[in-house]
Amino acid sequence: MTGTKIDLEALKKELGEGPMRFAPHGERPIEEQIKSLTEEEKKCFDELKKKWEAKEDRSHSFSDEMILRFARCSPGKTKFNVKTAWKVMNKYNAHYLELTAGGLEKQLLTKTLFVVPGLKSKEGHDVFYMRPSRYFPKQTTVKEIIDNLAYCMQVMVEKEKACTEGIAFFANMADWSMSNFGINYCHQFMMMLQGRVPVRVRLFLIVNPPGWFGTIWKIMKPMLAPDFRKKVHMISADKLEDFFDKDSLQYLPDEFEGGKVSTEDIAKDFVAYRKKVEG
């Protein structure tokens, strides 16, 4: 979507203010982003593109936008690392290229996991939010929740800043119990956060975990790379200001203490906007 020019005024007239919260503003065309790369960055981009196009057993193609994402979000301490980016490209599930709001509408409207417009970490990262108590392994497949996660993260990095600098994740653990947990689901989720799609997660907040969450953390911890563990913080709600931009807290969903924005409307508006721009 980054490379597609959107008539924001026409969309605003058709959709209204709510869905337009998710519209991009001031985004550069992908061609301009590529032209602005440094010599070394461009070399990485060109090499990844050439390697992929020469790959004889490839079953799908990647747009320039996707190749740039792989380069920018290459795992490790440095971006534009051909070796680590190529590893992600090879393992990437092409199914995620086909995800749409229309296809995921039912799952997105469960309000289990969604993007929160306006909410920012202290470092300026956009935030996606999860209410794990809405996920029940016996009712929703692991594939459905992982597709939900992949879709939201990929939508977020359509923005140049999020693609370049990363995003943040906020899990509201209110009402969560063991009936919402499954080891396979947890493992797949953690792997997605750590590089199965070209996205850099810079912050992972677990807010208001139950007192016995330490048992779950013992299961989760080995699933996380040492560097990623440093991004995880288990906090009470009164510590949010330590991690989020204070002024942006007004955009918290209303199901969270102190939140003022309708959770229901966030989910509905997100689906409405994405369905429209995706056709």
Side-chain angles (χ1 to χ4, degrees):
M1 290 304 303
T2 304
T4 304
K5 189 173 179 59
I6 300 173
D7 187 337
L8 297 178
E9 287 304 314
L11 272 182
K12 186 176 180 180
K13 289 180 181 178
E14 181 176 351
L15 298 176
E17 295 282 354
M20 293 307 291
R21 291 178 288 174
F22 296 95
H25 295 279
E27 291 294 309
R28 298 189 299 168
I30 199 69
E31 297 80 11
E32 187 177 329
Q33 292 182 40
I34 293 171
K35 285 181 181 178
S36 69
L37 297 176
T38 66
E39 185 177 337
E40 282 300 307
E41 291 171 347
K42 184 62 163 56
K43 183 179 178 181
C44 172
F45 172 84
D46 288 341
E47 187 170 344
L48 289 173
K49 185 173 182 176
K50 183 178 180 181
K51 280 167 70 75
W52 188 256
E53 291 176 347
K55 185 176 166 66
E56 293 183 359
D57 61 343
R58 61 187 173 98
S59 59
H60 57 279
S61 60
F62 285 126
S63 65
D64 283 356
E65 179 179 0
M66 278 299 295
I67 293 172
L68 182 57
R69 272 188 214 169
F70 284 116
R72 280 176 168 159
C73 302
S74 53
K77 295 182 179 179
T78 59
K79 305 173 188 176
F80 293 91
N81 182 311
V82 173
K83 184 177 180 180
T84 58
W86 180 245
K87 186 179 294 185
V88 177
M89 286 179 75
N90 271 306
K91 292 184 178 181
Y92 180 82
N93 187 342
H95 163 70
Y96 300 139
L97 294 172
E98 302 170 357
L99 298 177
T100 65
L104 290 169
E105 183 169 4
K106 183 179 177 181
Q107 172 59 30
L108 291 169
L109 292 179
T110 65
K111 306 183 293 295
T112 304
L113 195 157
F114 53 89
V115 182
V116 183
L119 189 61
K120 304 280 186 182
S121 72
K122 274 197 168 181
E123 289 71 32
H125 301 128
D126 287 344
V127 180
F128 66 108
Y129 169 97
M130 185 175 189
R131 184 72 182 267
S133 62
R134 290 198 174 104
Y135 172 69
F136 293 92
K138 293 182 179 180
Q139 299 174 17
T140 304
T141 66
V142 171
K143 179 181 179 299
E144 286 174 301
I145 193 66
I146 295 301
D147 281 356
N148 186 166
L149 172 62
Y151 179 74
C152 286
M153 290 199 296
Q154 292 190 146
V155 164
M156 292 176 78
V157 294
E158 287 179 0
K159 292 183 178 180
E160 182 178 355
K161 179 178 171 64
C163 187
T164 304
E165 300 179 11
I167 59 178
F169 176 46
F170 167 21
N172 174 9
M173 302 300 289
D175 305 319
W176 187 82
S177 71
M178 282 302 291
S179 65
N180 307 115
F181 181 75
I183 292 179
N184 180 44
Y185 142 68
C186 182
H187 180 262
Q188 296 297 327
F189 203 98
M190 295 306 116
M191 293 304 101
M192 289 295 288
L193 296 180
Q194 296 177 93
R196 285 197 175 168
V197 292
V199 177
R200 281 177 173 257
V201 177
R202 296 299 193 182
L203 175 67
F204 181 177
L205 290 183
I206 300 173
V207 185
N208 290 339
W212 47 270
F213 191 75
T215 302
I216 302 301
W217 178 242
K218 288 180 182 178
I219 297 172
M220 286 177 60
K221 190 175 179 181
M223 300 176 184
L224 306 176
D227 283 349
F228 195 85
R229 289 176 202 161
K230 297 174 184 177
K231 303 174 184 179
V232 181
H233 302 271
M234 286 171 270
I235 64 170
S236 55
D238 61 355
K239 298 296 183 183
L240 276 186
E241 286 190 14
D242 293 345
F243 297 92
F244 286 145
D245 174 75
K246 186 176 181 181
D247 292 338
S248 80
L249 290 175
Q250 63 182 303
Y251 298 108
L252 278 170
D254 60 1
E255 65 179 24
F256 190 79
E257 52 192 273
K260 299 177 181 178
V261 183
S262 166
T263 306
E264 187 81 16
D265 287 348
I266 292 175
K268 288 182 177 178
D269 288 346
F270 178 67
V271 170
Y273 176 78
R274 293 303 305 185
K275 284 178 71 176
K276 183 61 184 177
V277 298
E278 290 169 358

